[in-house]
Amino acid sequence: MAKRSARYVCQSCGAVSTKWGGKCDACGEWNSIVEEVDGGGIGGGPGRKPRKGRVVPLVPLAGATESAPRIRCGIPELDRVTGGGFVRGSALLVGGDPGIGKSTLLIQAAAALARAGEQVVYISGEEAIAQVRLRAERLGLLDAPVRLAAETSVEDILTTLDTGDRPALVIIDSIQTLWTELVESAPGTVTQVRTSAQSMIRFAKESGCTVVLVGHVTKDGTIAGPRVVEHMVDAVLYFEGDAAGHFRILRSVKNRFGPTDEIGVFEMTGKGLREVPNPSELFLGERSRASPGAAVFAGLEGSRPVLVEIQALVAPTALGTPRRAVVGWDSSRLSMILAVLEAHCGVRFGQHDVYLNIAGGLRIQEPAADIAVAAALVSSLAGVALDPDCVWFGEVSLSGTVRPVAQAQLRLKEAEKLGFASAVCPAAQGSEERGSDMRLTTIGQLAELVAKIAAAAGSDGRDMGRDGGRDGGRDGGRDHGRDDGRGGSSDAGPRGRPAGGDERRMARGSR
């Protein structure tokens, strides 16, 4: 009997090597390389020649097109994120932190589809059937005709699904618990996750049912297992939010049948997840209208306009290096805004700690929030509250120019619907958006924004604006000049004599 070859696979990135090593050369992780026996799959025995392939028919690009058939689950926020419902024959990957509500949302979607007359199968690899029933009882879903199973073998699952009526939706919770006989490794390894996911995706394409795979999340916030699984599926959904909070955000980061970066907002209650149809009212529900450092940003998440409050706190520091803490925004983007304010507007943050927070637990990724962040920072530093009935949007470049953003009319329409009366937008879009009834204030340079807030601050504005920076530089120059004239440079000798005299005396002594 021929000896089966062994290979060494990194459990972090999936890189394959011929020998074991303590550190993976591909990703740099330590102690992540595990020995796995190379089974070769079906027909992969030693000395076996590859079979001759069949001729695949080639068709022209031009031809009749059909829209993908969808199944609406009855939860509008979930249907929005998936692009209008689950596509038949597609595979979805849902990831999120432990306890965030992935299983709760999926059991609610399964119950809604089953009540609508669709065949739904829920397979749990982490919980027993009794535990799933306890969750369904707490959510009031025991009357839904959902078929349950607790199994981790891929071969047993596929054999069960092939018997009887084909289901419309299959939920696998989770993909890291599955194992297949084709691979001789432990469940949860890179090879097992990749092979098991490939088998379930192949079943979805051949049978026409929708397969939803639940994935664990690593400490870095990415779905555990090889990244190739995210490329194999048709859609990747992430559940965001604080497990201790009430609100959850379902975000689509990949969707072959719909828009990406679409979000759905849910609220965790005692009866499960409740959808929030108007997230702008949620994010602005408890804001303080008269506190400095708060600016309302008119953002865009996918095709949905969202208004969210940006909170900033600028406080004097007692440390040698000021702190920069960010929640819900890019920390490198904050460093860039601080540098632009200091270089082009004369606003000094070197002796202050800066804290930035996006209210409501939402994470903002688009650069249109630059102008709102800058306004909140300057407002907190000056101690002046911004107009509570004003929204802000615009991108800031390294030269201090405020650049236009996409879908400005949609942002203004959402702000006007919620009762806002004015908006601060880039100068390049002020003439294009005159159709709105809102009062528009256009800004071409970030220095104009600082000047407006400094004028509202009165005498305090001189301490943080361009004038303060000029006065500081002028005073420093006078002090430096006085010190040079009185005591000479830092290298001067006693009584102000230059150090060069000592060198001349040393030169004469040597002669």
Side-chain angles (χ1 to χ4, degrees), residues 277-350:
N278 192 355
S280 297
E281 294 181 354
L282 165 67
F283 298 136
L284 300 177
E286 299 179 358
R287 68 188 182 103
S288 178
R289 300 174 62 89
S291 63
V296 178
F297 165 58
L300 200 66
E301 294 290 341
S303 61
R304 163 184 283 179
V306 176
L307 268 62
V308 62
E309 184 183 29
I310 295 179
Q311 303 169 349
L313 176 62
V314 180
T317 182
L319 305 175
T321 302
R323 294 193 60 186
R324 303 288 186 258
V326 187
V327 177
W329 207 49
D330 189 10
S331 58
S332 60
R333 196 81 185 176
L334 174 63
S335 301
M336 189 200 77
I337 297 298
L338 293 175
V340 172
L341 285 172
E342 196 156 340
H344 298 287
C345 306
V347 183
R348 307 295 179 86
F349 292 95

Side-chain angles (χ1 to χ4, degrees), residues 346-368:
V347 183
R348 307 295 179 86
F349 292 95
Q351 302 299 324
H352 294 81
D353 293 331
V354 176
Y355 302 89
L356 188 71
N357 178 49
I358 308 300
L362 181 66
R363 178 166 182 82
I364 297 177
Q365 299 178 349
E366 62 171 335

Side-chain angles (χ1 to χ4, degrees), residues 219-240:
K219 60 182 180 180
D220 298 330
T222 59
I223 297 179
R227 296 301 299 269
V228 69
V229 176
E230 300 186 23
H231 298 284
M232 292 163 56
V233 297
D234 298 307
V236 179
L237 310 180
Y238 273 93
F239 231 169
E240 302 174 356

Side-chain angles (χ1 to χ4, degrees), residues 97-106 239 248 268 273:
D97 295 331
I100 202 68
K102 302 184 297 295
S103 301
T104 301
L105 176 63
L106 293 178
F239 231 169
R248 307 287 189 269
M268 180 64 75
L273 289 169

Side-chain angles (χ1 to χ4, degrees), residues 359-381:
L362 181 66
R363 178 166 182 82
I364 297 177
Q365 299 178 349
E366 62 171 335
D370 291 349
I371 190 71
V373 171
L377 292 172
V378 177
S379 169
S380 178
L381 182 62

Side-chain angles (χ1 to χ4, degrees), residues 32 40 55 87 110 122 126 139 169 197 246 264 297 299 313 357 375 402 410 472:
S32 61
V55 178
V87 177
Y122 188 98
E126 300 177 351
L139 301 177
L169 176 66
H246 295 285
F297 165 58
L313 176 62
N357 178 49
V402 180
L410 193 59

Side-chain angles (χ1 to χ4, degrees), residues 29 43 48 119 185 256 292 306 396 443-444:
E29 288 290 333
R48 185 71 58 87
Q119 296 287 339
S185 59
R256 291 174 179 166
V306 176
V396 176
I443 292 180

